[in-house]
mmCIF file with all atom_site columns, all heavy atoms in Angstrom:
data_model
loop_
_atom_site.group_PDB
_atom_site.id
_atom_site.type_symbol
_atom_site.label_atom_id
_atom_site.label_alt_id
_atom_site.label_comp_id
_atom_site.label_asym_id
_atom_site.label_entity_id
_atom_site.label_seq_id
_atom_site.pdbx_PDB_ins_code
_atom_site.Cartn_x
_atom_site.Cartn_y
_atom_site.Cartn_z
_atom_site.occupancy
_atom_site.B_iso_or_equiv
_atom_site.pdbx_formal_charge
_atom_site.auth_seq_id
_atom_site.auth_comp_id
_atom_site.auth_asym_id
_atom_site.auth_atom_id
_atom_site.pdbx_PDB_model_num
ATOM 1   N N   . ARG Y 1 58 ? -11.279 -8.542  5.069  1.00 0.00 ? 1424 ARG Y N   1
ATOM 2   C CA  . ARG Y 1 58 ? -12.047 -9.760  4.711  1.00 0.00 ? 1424 ARG Y CA  1
ATOM 3   C C   . ARG Y 1 58 ? -11.111 -10.920 4.399  1.00 0.00 ? 1424 ARG Y C   1
ATOM 4   O O   . ARG Y 1 58 ? -11.421 -12.072 4.665  1.00 0.00 ? 1424 ARG Y O   1
ATOM 5   C CB  . ARG Y 1 58 ? -12.959 -9.487  3.520  1.00 0.00 ? 1424 ARG Y CB  1
ATOM 6   C CG  . ARG Y 1 58 ? -14.187 -8.672  3.843  1.00 0.00 ? 1424 ARG Y CG  1
ATOM 7   C CD  . ARG Y 1 58 ? -15.215 -8.687  2.709  1.00 0.00 ? 1424 ARG Y CD  1
ATOM 8   N NE  . ARG Y 1 58 ? -14.673 -8.275  1.438  1.00 0.00 ? 1424 ARG Y NE  1
ATOM 9   C CZ  . ARG Y 1 58 ? -14.579 -7.013  1.004  1.00 0.00 ? 1424 ARG Y CZ  1
ATOM 10  N NH1 . ARG Y 1 58 ? -15.006 -6.038  1.770  1.00 0.00 ? 1424 ARG Y NH1 1
ATOM 11  N NH2 . ARG Y 1 58 ? -14.070 -6.731  -0.171 1.00 0.00 ? 1424 ARG Y NH2 1
ATOM 12  N N   . LEU Y 1 59 ? -9.948  -10.610 3.828  1.00 0.00 ? 1425 LEU Y N   1
ATOM 13  C CA  . LEU Y 1 59 ? -8.973  -11.653 3.491  1.00 0.00 ? 1425 LEU Y CA  1
ATOM 14  C C   . LEU Y 1 59 ? -8.122  -12.060 4.693  1.00 0.00 ? 1425 LEU Y C   1
ATOM 15  O O   . LEU Y 1 59 ? -7.263  -12.930 4.573  1.00 0.00 ? 1425 LEU Y O   1
ATOM 16  C CB  . LEU Y 1 59 ? -8.058  -11.153 2.359  1.00 0.00 ? 1425 LEU Y CB  1
ATOM 17  C CG  . LEU Y 1 59 ? -8.745  -10.946 1.007  1.00 0.00 ? 1425 LEU Y CG  1
ATOM 18  C CD1 . LEU Y 1 59 ? -7.807  -10.210 0.039  1.00 0.00 ? 1425 LEU Y CD1 1
ATOM 19  C CD2 . LEU Y 1 59 ? -9.168  -12.287 0.426  1.00 0.00 ? 1425 LEU Y CD2 1
ATOM 20  N N   . ASP Y 1 60 ? -8.349  -11.400 5.824  1.00 0.00 ? 1426 ASP Y N   1
ATOM 21  C CA  . ASP Y 1 60 ? -7.597  -11.641 7.064  1.00 0.00 ? 1426 ASP Y CA  1
ATOM 22  C C   . ASP Y 1 60 ? -6.113  -11.240 6.933  1.00 0.00 ? 1426 ASP Y C   1
ATOM 23  O O   . ASP Y 1 60 ? -5.265  -11.798 7.599  1.00 0.00 ? 1426 ASP Y O   1
ATOM 24  C CB  . ASP Y 1 60 ? -7.725  -13.101 7.517  1.00 0.00 ? 1426 ASP Y CB  1
ATOM 25  C CG  . ASP Y 1 60 ? -7.268  -13.294 8.951  1.00 0.00 ? 1426 ASP Y CG  1
ATOM 26  O OD1 . ASP Y 1 60 ? -7.471  -12.375 9.769  1.00 0.00 ? 1426 ASP Y OD1 1
ATOM 27  O OD2 . ASP Y 1 60 ? -6.690  -14.361 9.252  1.00 0.00 ? 1426 ASP Y OD2 1
ATOM 28  N N   . TYR Y 1 61 ? -5.843  -10.293 6.051  1.00 0.00 ? 1427 TYR Y N   1
ATOM 29  C CA  . TYR Y 1 61 ? -4.474  -9.782  5.925  1.00 0.00 ? 1427 TYR Y CA  1
ATOM 30  C C   . TYR Y 1 61 ? -4.216  -8.644  6.911  1.00 0.00 ? 1427 TYR Y C   1
ATOM 31  O O   . TYR Y 1 61 ? -3.065  -8.365  7.243  1.00 0.00 ? 1427 TYR Y O   1
ATOM 32  C CB  . TYR Y 1 61 ? -4.192  -9.288  4.506  1.00 0.00 ? 1427 TYR Y CB  1
ATOM 33  C CG  . TYR Y 1 61 ? -4.198  -10.360 3.449  1.00 0.00 ? 1427 TYR Y CG  1
ATOM 34  C CD1 . TYR Y 1 61 ? -4.347  -10.032 2.108  1.00 0.00 ? 1427 TYR Y CD1 1
ATOM 35  C CD2 . TYR Y 1 61 ? -4.059  -11.706 3.763  1.00 0.00 ? 1427 TYR Y CD2 1
ATOM 36  C CE1 . TYR Y 1 61 ? -4.354  -11.000 1.118  1.00 0.00 ? 1427 TYR Y CE1 1
ATOM 37  C CE2 . TYR Y 1 61 ? -4.077  -12.677 2.790  1.00 0.00 ? 1427 TYR Y CE2 1
ATOM 38  C CZ  . TYR Y 1 61 ? -4.224  -12.318 1.477  1.00 0.00 ? 1427 TYR Y CZ  1
ATOM 39  O OH  . TYR Y 1 61 ? -4.235  -13.291 0.495  1.00 0.00 ? 1427 TYR Y OH  1
ATOM 40  N N   . VAL Y 1 62 ? -5.286  -7.960  7.326  1.00 0.00 ? 1428 VAL Y N   1
ATOM 41  C CA  . VAL Y 1 62 ? -5.172  -6.916  8.335  1.00 0.00 ? 1428 VAL Y CA  1
ATOM 42  C C   . VAL Y 1 62 ? -6.325  -7.067  9.318  1.00 0.00 ? 1428 VAL Y C   1
ATOM 43  O O   . VAL Y 1 62 ? -7.348  -7.672  9.010  1.00 0.00 ? 1428 VAL Y O   1
ATOM 44  C CB  . VAL Y 1 62 ? -5.188  -5.482  7.726  1.00 0.00 ? 1428 VAL Y CB  1
ATOM 45  C CG1 . VAL Y 1 62 ? -4.080  -5.297  6.713  1.00 0.00 ? 1428 VAL Y CG1 1
ATOM 46  C CG2 . VAL Y 1 62 ? -6.522  -5.138  7.125  1.00 0.00 ? 1428 VAL Y CG2 1
ATOM 47  N N   . ARG Y 1 63 ? -6.126  -6.510  10.501 1.00 0.00 ? 1429 ARG Y N   1
ATOM 48  C CA  . ARG Y 1 63 ? -7.220  -6.428  11.468 1.00 0.00 ? 1429 ARG Y CA  1
ATOM 49  C C   . ARG Y 1 63 ? -7.327  -4.974  11.886 1.00 0.00 ? 1429 ARG Y C   1
ATOM 50  O O   . ARG Y 1 63 ? -6.344  -4.237  11.858 1.00 0.00 ? 1429 ARG Y O   1
ATOM 51  C CB  . ARG Y 1 63 ? -7.004  -7.350  12.665 1.00 0.00 ? 1429 ARG Y CB  1
ATOM 52  C CG  . ARG Y 1 63 ? -5.913  -6.942  13.622 1.00 0.00 ? 1429 ARG Y CG  1
ATOM 53  C CD  . ARG Y 1 63 ? -5.810  -7.864  14.855 1.00 0.00 ? 1429 ARG Y CD  1
ATOM 54  N NE  . ARG Y 1 63 ? -5.424  -9.203  14.529 1.00 0.00 ? 1429 ARG Y NE  1
ATOM 55  C CZ  . ARG Y 1 63 ? -4.172  -9.650  14.479 1.00 0.00 ? 1429 ARG Y CZ  1
ATOM 56  N NH1 . ARG Y 1 63 ? -3.169  -8.847  14.746 1.00 0.00 ? 1429 ARG Y NH1 1
ATOM 57  N NH2 . ARG Y 1 63 ? -3.892  -10.885 14.155 1.00 0.00 ? 1429 ARG Y NH2 1
ATOM 58  N N   . ALA Y 1 64 ? -8.524  -4.588  12.235 1.00 0.00 ? 1430 ALA Y N   1
ATOM 59  C CA  . ALA Y 1 64 ? -8.782  -3.200  12.607 1.00 0.00 ? 1430 ALA Y CA  1
ATOM 60  C C   . ALA Y 1 64 ? -9.304  -3.136  14.030 1.00 0.00 ? 1430 ALA Y C   1
ATOM 61  O O   . ALA Y 1 64 ? -9.972  -4.060  14.503 1.00 0.00 ? 1430 ALA Y O   1
ATOM 62  C CB  . ALA Y 1 64 ? -9.789  -2.581  11.650 1.00 0.00 ? 1430 ALA Y CB  1
ATOM 63  N N   . GLU Y 1 65 ? -8.974  -2.041  14.681 1.00 0.00 ? 1431 GLU Y N   1
ATOM 64  C CA  . GLU Y 1 65 ? -9.436  -1.842  16.047 1.00 0.00 ? 1431 GLU Y CA  1
ATOM 65  C C   . GLU Y 1 65 ? -9.591  -0.340  16.276 1.00 0.00 ? 1431 GLU Y C   1
ATOM 66  O O   . GLU Y 1 65 ? -8.748  0.453   15.871 1.00 0.00 ? 1431 GLU Y O   1
ATOM 67  C CB  . GLU Y 1 65 ? -8.404  -2.414  17.024 1.00 0.00 ? 1431 GLU Y CB  1
ATOM 68  C CG  . GLU Y 1 65 ? -8.819  -2.338  18.455 1.00 0.00 ? 1431 GLU Y CG  1
ATOM 69  C CD  . GLU Y 1 65 ? -7.822  -3.059  19.357 1.00 0.00 ? 1431 GLU Y CD  1
ATOM 70  O OE1 . GLU Y 1 65 ? -7.213  -4.054  18.904 1.00 0.00 ? 1431 GLU Y OE1 1
ATOM 71  O OE2 . GLU Y 1 65 ? -7.644  -2.599  20.493 1.00 0.00 ? 1431 GLU Y OE2 1
ATOM 72  N N   . TRP Y 1 66 ? -10.703 0.001   16.922 1.00 0.00 ? 1432 TRP Y N   1
ATOM 73  C CA  . TRP Y 1 66 ? -10.910 1.411   17.255 1.00 0.00 ? 1432 TRP Y CA  1
ATOM 74  C C   . TRP Y 1 66 ? -10.018 1.807   18.407 1.00 0.00 ? 1432 TRP Y C   1
ATOM 75  O O   . TRP Y 1 66 ? -9.815  1.050   19.347 1.00 0.00 ? 1432 TRP Y O   1
ATOM 76  C CB  . TRP Y 1 66 ? -12.374 1.664   17.613 1.00 0.00 ? 1432 TRP Y CB  1
ATOM 77  C CG  . TRP Y 1 66 ? -13.285 1.650   16.424 1.00 0.00 ? 1432 TRP Y CG  1
ATOM 78  C CD1 . TRP Y 1 66 ? -14.101 0.641   16.028 1.00 0.00 ? 1432 TRP Y CD1 1
ATOM 79  C CD2 . TRP Y 1 66 ? -13.424 2.678   15.454 1.00 0.00 ? 1432 TRP Y CD2 1
ATOM 80  N NE1 . TRP Y 1 66 ? -14.750 0.974   14.859 1.00 0.00 ? 1432 TRP Y NE1 1
ATOM 81  C CE2 . TRP Y 1 66 ? -14.366 2.232   14.486 1.00 0.00 ? 1432 TRP Y CE2 1
ATOM 82  C CE3 . TRP Y 1 66 ? -12.864 3.945   15.292 1.00 0.00 ? 1432 TRP Y CE3 1
ATOM 83  C CZ2 . TRP Y 1 66 ? -14.728 3.001   13.396 1.00 0.00 ? 1432 TRP Y CZ2 1
ATOM 84  C CZ3 . TRP Y 1 66 ? -13.238 4.718   14.200 1.00 0.00 ? 1432 TRP Y CZ3 1
ATOM 85  C CH2 . TRP Y 1 66 ? -14.161 4.237   13.266 1.00 0.00 ? 1432 TRP Y CH2 1
ATOM 86  N N   . GLY Y 1 67 ? -9.470  3.002   18.309 1.00 0.00 ? 1433 GLY Y N   1
ATOM 87  C CA  . GLY Y 1 67 ? -8.641  3.549   19.374 1.00 0.00 ? 1433 GLY Y CA  1
ATOM 88  C C   . GLY Y 1 67 ? -8.845  5.051   19.444 1.00 0.00 ? 1433 GLY Y C   1
ATOM 89  O O   . GLY Y 1 67 ? -9.802  5.586   18.878 1.00 0.00 ? 1433 GLY Y O   1
ATOM 90  N N   . ARG Y 1 68 ? -7.961  5.719   20.123 1.00 0.00 ? 1434 ARG Y N   1
ATOM 91  C CA  . ARG Y 1 68 ? -8.028  7.169   20.292 1.00 0.00 ? 1434 ARG Y CA  1
ATOM 92  C C   . ARG Y 1 68 ? -6.732  7.804   19.814 1.00 0.00 ? 1434 ARG Y C   1
ATOM 93  O O   . ARG Y 1 68 ? -5.643  7.274   20.050 1.00 0.00 ? 1434 ARG Y O   1
ATOM 94  C CB  . ARG Y 1 68 ? -8.233  7.554   21.754 1.00 0.00 ? 1434 ARG Y CB  1
ATOM 95  C CG  . ARG Y 1 68 ? -9.527  7.079   22.349 1.00 0.00 ? 1434 ARG Y CG  1
ATOM 96  C CD  . ARG Y 1 68 ? -10.606 8.109   22.122 1.00 0.00 ? 1434 ARG Y CD  1
ATOM 97  N NE  . ARG Y 1 68 ? -11.891 7.563   22.588 1.00 0.00 ? 1434 ARG Y NE  1
ATOM 98  C CZ  . ARG Y 1 68 ? -13.040 8.019   22.176 1.00 0.00 ? 1434 ARG Y CZ  1
ATOM 99  N NH1 . ARG Y 1 68 ? -13.088 9.031   21.328 1.00 0.00 ? 1434 ARG Y NH1 1
ATOM 100 N NH2 . ARG Y 1 68 ? -14.152 7.505   22.616 1.00 0.00 ? 1434 ARG Y NH2 1
ATOM 101 N N   . SER Y 1 69 ? -6.880  8.939   19.139 1.00 0.00 ? 1435 SER Y N   1
ATOM 102 C CA  . SER Y 1 69 ? -5.706  9.712   18.752 1.00 0.00 ? 1435 SER Y CA  1
ATOM 103 C C   . SER Y 1 69 ? -5.122  10.355  20.005 1.00 0.00 ? 1435 SER Y C   1
ATOM 104 O O   . SER Y 1 69 ? -5.784  10.398  21.049 1.00 0.00 ? 1435 SER Y O   1
ATOM 105 C CB  . SER Y 1 69 ? -6.101  10.796  17.749 1.00 0.00 ? 1435 SER Y CB  1
ATOM 106 O OG  . SER Y 1 69 ? -6.827  11.815  18.401 1.00 0.00 ? 1435 SER Y OG  1
ATOM 107 N N   . PRO Y 1 70 ? -3.904  10.890  19.928 1.00 0.00 ? 1436 PRO Y N   1
ATOM 108 C CA  . PRO Y 1 70 ? -3.338  11.583  21.096 1.00 0.00 ? 1436 PRO Y CA  1
ATOM 109 C C   . PRO Y 1 70 ? -4.219  12.752  21.555 1.00 0.00 ? 1436 PRO Y C   1
ATOM 110 O O   . PRO Y 1 70 ? -4.206  13.113  22.733 1.00 0.00 ? 1436 PRO Y O   1
ATOM 111 C CB  . PRO Y 1 70 ? -1.982  12.084  20.590 1.00 0.00 ? 1436 PRO Y CB  1
ATOM 112 C CG  . PRO Y 1 70 ? -1.629  11.141  19.490 1.00 0.00 ? 1436 PRO Y CG  1
ATOM 113 C CD  . PRO Y 1 70 ? -2.939  10.761  18.852 1.00 0.00 ? 1436 PRO Y CD  1
ATOM 114 N N   . GLU Y 1 71 ? -5.038  13.289  20.636 1.00 0.00 ? 1437 GLU Y N   1
ATOM 115 C CA  . GLU Y 1 71 ? -5.935  14.391  20.992 1.00 0.00 ? 1437 GLU Y CA  1
ATOM 116 C C   . GLU Y 1 71 ? -7.274  13.889  21.522 1.00 0.00 ? 1437 GLU Y C   1
ATOM 117 O O   . GLU Y 1 71 ? -8.143  14.684  21.861 1.00 0.00 ? 1437 GLU Y O   1
ATOM 118 C CB  . GLU Y 1 71 ? -6.187  15.285  19.762 1.00 0.00 ? 1437 GLU Y CB  1
ATOM 119 C CG  . GLU Y 1 71 ? -4.947  15.953  19.208 1.00 0.00 ? 1437 GLU Y CG  1
ATOM 120 C CD  . GLU Y 1 71 ? -4.110  15.021  18.321 1.00 0.00 ? 1437 GLU Y CD  1
ATOM 121 O OE1 . GLU Y 1 71 ? -4.655  14.075  17.716 1.00 0.00 ? 1437 GLU Y OE1 1
ATOM 122 O OE2 . GLU Y 1 71 ? -2.883  15.241  18.263 1.00 0.00 ? 1437 GLU Y OE2 1
ATOM 123 N N   . GLY Y 1 72 ? -7.444  12.561  21.568 1.00 0.00 ? 1438 GLY Y N   1
ATOM 124 C CA  . GLY Y 1 72 ? -8.667  11.979  22.106 1.00 0.00 ? 1438 GLY Y CA  1
ATOM 125 C C   . GLY Y 1 72 ? -9.738  11.655  21.088 1.00 0.00 ? 1438 GLY Y C   1
ATOM 126 O O   . GLY Y 1 72 ? -10.817 11.198  21.449 1.00 0.00 ? 1438 GLY Y O   1
ATOM 127 N N   . ARG Y 1 73 ? -9.481  11.916  19.817 1.00 0.00 ? 1439 ARG Y N   1
ATOM 128 C CA  . ARG Y 1 73 ? -10.478 11.603  18.792 1.00 0.00 ? 1439 ARG Y CA  1
ATOM 129 C C   . ARG Y 1 73 ? -10.491 10.111  18.507 1.00 0.00 ? 1439 ARG Y C   1
ATOM 130 O O   . ARG Y 1 73 ? -9.455  9.441   18.562 1.00 0.00 ? 1439 ARG Y O   1
ATOM 131 C CB  . ARG Y 1 73 ? -10.185 12.364  17.506 1.00 0.00 ? 1439 ARG Y CB  1
ATOM 132 C CG  . ARG Y 1 73 ? -10.605 13.810  17.579 1.00 0.00 ? 1439 ARG Y CG  1
ATOM 133 C CD  . ARG Y 1 73 ? -10.381 14.506  16.285 1.00 0.00 ? 1439 ARG Y CD  1
ATOM 134 N NE  . ARG Y 1 73 ? -8.952  14.891  16.289 1.00 0.00 ? 1439 ARG Y NE  1
ATOM 135 C CZ  . ARG Y 1 73 ? -8.289  15.287  15.243 1.00 0.00 ? 1439 ARG Y CZ  1
ATOM 136 N NH1 . ARG Y 1 73 ? -8.866  15.343  14.078 1.00 0.00 ? 1439 ARG Y NH1 1
ATOM 137 N NH2 . ARG Y 1 73 ? -7.025  15.632  15.329 1.00 0.00 ? 1439 ARG Y NH2 1
ATOM 138 N N   . ARG Y 1 74 ? -11.676 9.607   18.184 1.00 0.00 ? 1440 ARG Y N   1
ATOM 139 C CA  . ARG Y 1 74 ? -11.831 8.197   17.861 1.00 0.00 ? 1440 ARG Y CA  1
ATOM 140 C C   . ARG Y 1 74 ? -11.199 7.939   16.501 1.00 0.00 ? 1440 ARG Y C   1
ATOM 141 O O   . ARG Y 1 74 ? -11.406 8.696   15.543 1.00 0.00 ? 1440 ARG Y O   1
ATOM 142 C CB  . ARG Y 1 74 ? -13.313 7.861   17.839 1.00 0.00 ? 1440 ARG Y CB  1
ATOM 143 C CG  . ARG Y 1 74 ? -13.619 6.428   17.983 1.00 0.00 ? 1440 ARG Y CG  1
ATOM 144 C CD  . ARG Y 1 74 ? -15.082 6.254   18.380 1.00 0.00 ? 1440 ARG Y CD  1
ATOM 145 N NE  . ARG Y 1 74 ? -15.344 4.831   18.462 1.00 0.00 ? 1440 ARG Y NE  1
ATOM 146 C CZ  . ARG Y 1 74 ? -16.195 4.195   17.681 1.00 0.00 ? 1440 ARG Y CZ  1
ATOM 147 N NH1 . ARG Y 1 74 ? -16.923 4.852   16.814 1.00 0.00 ? 1440 ARG Y NH1 1
ATOM 148 N NH2 . ARG Y 1 74 ? -16.338 2.895   17.790 1.00 0.00 ? 1440 ARG Y NH2 1
#
Side-chain angles (χ1 to χ4, degrees):
R1424 285 193 306 274
L1425 293 170
D1426 195 34
Y1427 294 161
V1428 303
R1429 71 176 65 91
E1431 184 174 328
W1432 286 101
R1434 297 271 174 201
S1435 72
E1437 298 80 27
R1439 282 183 277 166
R1440 200 163 178 244

